[in-house]
Amino acid sequence: MEINVPLLKQICEIAGAPGFEKRVRDLVIELVTPLVDEVKTDNMGSVIAIKRGMRNPDGKSVMVAAHLDEIGFMVTHIDDQGFLRFHTLGGFDPKTLTAQRVIVHGKKDLVGVMGSKPIHVMSVEERAKLPKTTDFFIDLGMSKEEVEKYISIGDPVTRDRELIEMGDCVNCKSIDNRVAVFILIETLKQLENPAYDVYATFTVQEEVGIRGANVAAHSINPDFGIALDTTIAFDVPGAAAHEKITELGKGTAIKIMDAMTICDYRMVEFMKQTAAKEAISWQPEILTAGGTDTAGVQRMGKQGAIAGAISIPTRHLHQVIEMAHKKDIFDTIALLKACLEQIDGYDWKH
């Protein structure tokens, strides 16, 4: 159950905050072009890679969506001492930002540190409060004059973390959702017999409101939709059984619902049957808070789509680092490939 860790590392480490996905988009275009029949980029910047179906007299299509963007920040102010203030792009847990390195992407990339008030000079009341993102600033170690040579208001900021292997897991910033980008590319490499036309769609701006998937689904107008994204694995000390959502190492997750989508019962059952047939480990996912590209894929086509999602269990989600299990990644590739090759054999009318 080996996976291509060097490729996953390359995809996870490259920068791509919402609205600033160009670097990761260029890499994806380079990687997928030899694998498909056609590649195009829509006006928002989502990449649509099309692999034609082998048994498709009616011209049916399957849209598979994996978002390119990662949670990040945008520079909003440079003060007289050269410190940066910022706005979040996507949801962060503020307590995880303390003293973390970030990269500010201006005329050149500059490494900075998330600074905040030292605990030594906090009042008793301040120590008792949970931190807010507005409590932090970015320290570049430069004067305002030096900072302004390279950095402007509106520049994006991303986390600075390398991918490492920890036991049977991989650990990095941006596992959400670069692991899904990796999975979709690896599936395209293995996909020799797709039933219907596959629109492998690498979407933009998911972390700020499913924006790229909405536009791409409207354009593609798919008959079927499968989103690929991470989901919570709260399988840690102190978690009650009903809180876990998923667990690392127990297989890929078949989404039943999240806060924005109730997956089509037919797609859920098709995925379950396919996993059983192929002896692929899986676990059910019900995520009561948080949404994914599934919503756009399901609803924004002209007739809607029979849609669901395959999710990768992930610990420490939306924090400075995130962690996924190699077996779950392997199982997700296997299930996606099997679904795309067998989708024409299921009775979708029941």
Side-chain angles (χ1 to χ4, degrees):
M1 292 188 180
E2 293 296 319
I3 64 169
N4 187 345
V5 173
L7 179 59
L8 179 60
K9 176 180 173 71
Q10 182 182 17
I11 293 170
C12 284
E13 291 181 2
I14 199 166
F20 299 89
E21 297 93 348
K22 185 180 187 306
R23 294 186 191 185
V24 64
R25 176 170 56 244
D26 289 348
L27 174 62
V28 165
I29 291 171
E30 177 186 341
L31 292 170
V32 302
T33 297
L35 308 176
V36 297
D37 298 301
E38 181 183 352
V39 178
K40 55 187 178 181
T41 304
D42 69 17
N43 288 340
M44 279 198 69
S46 297
V47 177
I48 302 169
I50 306 168
K51 192 157 191 169
R52 299 297 176 191
M54 306 298 289
R55 303 177 300 281
N56 196 18
D58 298 324
K60 293 187 180 298
S61 61
V62 187
M63 177 179 172
V64 185
H67 70 85
L68 294 169
D69 57 312
E70 59 181 306
I71 54 174
F73 314 92
M74 179 182 286
V75 176
T76 58
H77 179 71
I78 304 171
D79 75 13
D80 290 341
Q81 294 176 282
F83 297 116
L84 309 182
R85 294 290 180 170
F86 58 86
H87 180 69
T88 54
L89 299 174
F92 273 93
D93 181 351
K95 70 177 182 291
T96 69
L97 297 179
T98 302
Q100 296 295 331
R101 288 188 183 128
V102 294
I103 304 174
V104 186
H105 305 283
K107 292 177 181 176
K108 72 174 185 179
D109 288 353
L110 296 177
V111 175
V113 177
M114 282 284 181
S116 59
K117 190 173 183 179
I119 194 169
H120 309 75
V121 295
M122 285 184 178
S123 66
V124 173
E125 292 77 14
E126 287 173 326
R127 292 185 187 191
K129 291 180 180 178
L130 288 173
K132 306 184 295 294
T133 55
T134 52
D135 294 333
F136 294 89
F137 53 86
I138 297 172
D139 182 357
L140 294 171
M142 296 179 176
S143 67
K144 181 178 183 180
E145 291 72 24
E146 281 297 304
V147 169
E148 289 182 332
K149 290 178 182 177
Y150 309 108
I151 305 302
S152 301
I153 303 304
D155 286 341
V157 183
T158 59
R159 296 159 292 172
D160 182 19
R161 282 297 176 105
E162 295 182 359
L163 185 140
I164 61 172
E165 297 179 67
M166 297 175 60
D168 295 323
C169 298
V170 287
N171 182 295
C172 193
K173 63 96 177 171
S174 309
I175 293 292
D176 177 13
N177 189 37
R178 301 298 173 69
V179 68
V181 172
F182 167 81
I183 286 165
L184 186 47
I185 291 170
E186 290 294 279
T187 302
L188 289 172
K189 290 179 183 177
Q190 300 177 26
L191 189 61
E192 297 180 353
N193 191 30
Y196 299 147
D197 293 351
V198 175
Y199 285 74
T201 308
F202 301 87
T203 63
V204 297
Q205 298 191 41
E206 189 271 352
E207 295 291 2
V208 289
I210 325 289
R211 298 174 186 177
N214 286 343
V215 171
H218 184 73
S219 172
I220 295 166
N221 192 31
D223 298 282
F224 301 92
I226 299 173
L228 297 175
D229 209 333
T230 54
T231 191
I232 291 171
F234 188 44
D235 54 342
V236 297
H242 69 278
E243 295 178 310
K244 291 182 178 180
I245 311 297
T246 63
E247 300 178 66
L248 293 196
K250 296 294 182 67
T252 190
I254 296 174
K255 186 185 292 291
I256 297 171
M257 67 160 282
D258 60 32
M260 297 182 69
T261 309
I262 298 173
C263 295
D264 194 294
Y265 69 91
R266 293 166 293 181
M267 183 61 76
V268 173
E269 185 59 29
F270 167 61
M271 288 180 177
K272 289 180 180 179
Q273 289 186 18
T274 304
K277 178 181 176 183
E278 301 296 327
I280 298 167
S281 300
W282 68 276
Q283 50 191 315
E285 178 211 1
I286 295 178
L287 184 64
T288 56
T292 62
D293 276 347
T294 319
V297 174
Q298 183 185 56
R299 300 200 288 276
M300 296 309 292
K302 298 172 184 65
Q303 288 85 41
I306 298 174
I310 306 174
S311 303
I312 305 92
T314 305
R315 285 186 193 147
H316 321 304
L317 202 59
H318 278 220
Q319 298 187 34
V320 176
I321 55 88
E322 299 163 331
M323 188 158 68
H325 198 287
K326 294 176 189 176
K327 179 183 183 298
D328 300 336
I329 297 170
F330 183 92
D331 287 339
T332 306
I333 296 168
L335 181 56
L336 178 60
K337 176 178 180 289
C339 286
L340 294 175
E341 291 181 340
Q342 300 175 30
I343 196 167
D344 62 331
Y346 186 75
D347 180 10
W348 295 99
K349 295 180 180 179
H350 79 293

